[in-house]
Amino acid sequence: HSCAPPNAKHRKSSCKMRQANIHTPSDTNPVKAWFDALPPLTRVWFTASLLNACFVYFGTISGQSIMWSWELVFTKFHIWRPVTCFWFVGTFGREGFNTLISLYMLQQYSGNYERNAINTGGGGTLPDYIVMLAIVGFIQLLLGTVWLGGYFYGTSMYFAVMYVWCKSNPTTDVSIWGFRLKANIFPFVLMALHMATGGDWMGDALGIGSGHCYFFLVDVYPATQGKDLVHTPNFLITWCHRLTNRGAAYVPPTATNARNNNFGARGMAAPGRVNAPNANPGGGYNWGGGGRALGGN
């Protein structure tokens, strides 16, 4: 005869079932964890670009329906085109490998920059990134229409974001095909590789040019002239704060006098909005260091 209580086997099996339902961090879906870790705007941009690549490949939509066309925007009021032309970096099939590389670069450098954008009033957070994309997008559409006659600017946009991030982090080591190099030369090396392999180096050049224009406006000019040209609108800061904080009330931070506060050459505490961000600038300008401030008051 068994000495175990009558319900001992049942209790053991129930205990095993409860243990099986306990998920440890190692059991988490790595793809979901990676996707959830992306900053909000990068997540939207990456998802839209991936979906458009799939939709065009399977014929759900045509590339002509989302490409840039100033004639259709101003005569047919296709108001979605100034946005959707940046949400396409290629399709699959024969060019699928290049599309995958572009999607990887997009999420990598857009995510890096969105997490620590140059502060133009929003503390180096989401609203500042939105302003950056709007300014760079306008420059690219203007130059692209006049100079390149292009239809899609997704790769040029992520190249501009990558360029600004590299200028903001010039001494950071990056890797390409197993070779390590400094971030300040990375965009040019990548463009040279595209040129050597028959890639779209003109789109890369447009990204570098538009990114440099933005970097000049928000870092070089303020650091040398003591005046900020780009200010993130107050309504955008408040809206983004409520969007990312479940409707919580926005409380502006207190401005600081130091230029170098880990959010670029702006004198503000993160995250937030203050007036006259560069009213009392301090510090100098490092011409060889990508526009970072050397000191404070």
Side-chain angles (χ1 to χ4, degrees), residues 154-277:
T155 55
S156 296
M157 178 61 83
Y158 85 68
F159 221 87
V161 174
M162 178 182 66
Y163 175 84
V164 176
W165 180 86
C166 289
K167 289 289 288 183
S168 302
N169 303 273
T171 60
T172 301
D173 289 331
V174 296
S175 178
I176 179 170
W177 304 115
F179 295 97
R180 302 191 67 82
L181 61 157
K182 297 300 180 182
N184 61 339
I185 64 171
F186 178 65
F188 302 99
V189 172
L190 194 59
M191 184 177 68
L193 285 176
H194 288 168
M195 185 183 301
T197 57
D200 181 22
W201 68 270
M202 292 292 286
D204 300 345
L206 178 62
I208 290 176
S210 57
H212 188 76
C213 289
Y214 179 78
F215 188 78
F216 177 84
L217 292 174
V218 300
D219 198 300
V220 176
Y221 185 87
T224 56
Q225 303 299 320
K227 182 179 180 181
D228 289 312
L229 299 178
V230 179
H231 297 265
T232 302
N234 292 347
F235 78 88
L236 182 60
I237 298 173
T238 303
W239 180 80
C240 289
H241 177 83
R242 291 176 177 174
L243 180 68
T244 56
N245 292 275
R246 301 179 182 274
Y250 177 77
V251 180
T254 303
T256 64
N257 289 330
R259 293 180 63 84
N260 188 9
N261 58 359
N262 295 326
F263 289 100
R266 307 280 84 76
M268 304 177 199
R273 171 182 70 231
V274 291
N275 294 323

Side-chain angles (χ1 to χ4, degrees), residues 12-241:
K12 290 181 179 178
S13 62
S14 299
C15 182
K16 291 180 178 178
M17 291 177 63
R18 287 195 298 270
Q19 291 176 349
N21 291 329
I22 298 176
H23 296 283
T24 62
S26 60
D27 297 328
T28 305
N29 186 331
V31 176
K32 184 178 184 302
W34 160 80
F35 185 77
D36 292 341
L38 292 176
L41 188 53
T42 299
R43 191 184 310 137
V44 171
W45 188 9
F46 175 84
T47 302
S49 299
L50 177 60
L51 290 177
N52 280 335
C54 295
F55 291 157
V56 171
Y57 177 71
F58 290 109
T60 307
I61 62 174
S62 68
Q64 294 179 346
S65 65
I66 58 176
M67 71 180 189
W68 166 248
S69 172
W70 70 268
E71 295 96 341
L72 293 177
V73 171
F74 292 104
T75 61
K76 300 294 184 180
F77 302 103
H78 290 187
I79 58 175
W80 63 87
R81 292 182 183 273
V83 177
T84 57
C85 67
F86 294 104
W87 288 356
F88 186 78
V89 297
T91 185
F92 297 109
R94 288 184 297 178
E95 57 180 290
F97 179 75
N98 291 334
T99 300
L100 290 176
I101 294 296
S102 295
L103 289 170
Y104 170 78
M105 299 287 285
L106 186 158
Q107 62 84 30
Q108 178 74 16
Y109 289 99
S110 175
N112 287 346
Y113 187 81
E114 185 175 351
R115 294 183 185 97
N116 191 15
I118 294 177
N119 189 352
T120 55
T125 54
L126 176 61
D128 294 334
Y129 189 35
I130 293 176
V131 169
M132 183 260 195
L133 293 180
I135 294 175
V136 172
F138 175 79
I139 295 173
Q140 290 189 0
L141 290 180
L142 180 62
L143 294 180
T145 301
V146 175
W147 178 32
L148 295 178
Y151 301 109
F152 296 104
Y153 297 93
T155 55
S156 296
M157 178 61 83
Y158 85 68
F159 221 87
V161 174
M162 178 182 66
Y163 175 84
V164 176
W165 180 86
C166 289
K167 289 289 288 183
S168 302
N169 303 273
T171 60
T172 301
D173 289 331
V174 296
S175 178
I176 179 170
W177 304 115
F179 295 97
R180 302 191 67 82
L181 61 157
K182 297 300 180 182
N184 61 339
I185 64 171
F186 178 65
F188 302 99
V189 172
L190 194 59
M191 184 177 68
L193 285 176
H194 288 168
M195 185 183 301
T197 57
D200 181 22
W201 68 270
M202 292 292 286
D204 300 345
L206 178 62
I208 290 176
S210 57
H212 188 76
C213 289
Y214 179 78
F215 188 78
F216 177 84
L217 292 174
V218 300
D219 198 300
V220 176
Y221 185 87
T224 56
Q225 303 299 320
K227 182 179 180 181
D228 289 312
L229 299 178
V230 179
H231 297 265
T232 302
N234 292 347
F235 78 88
L236 182 60
I237 298 173
T238 303
W239 180 80
C240 289
H241 177 83

Side-chain angles (χ1 to χ4, degrees), residues 2-12:
S2 174
C3 296
N7 295 327
K9 293 182 178 180
H10 176 71
R11 287 199 298 271
K12 290 181 179 178

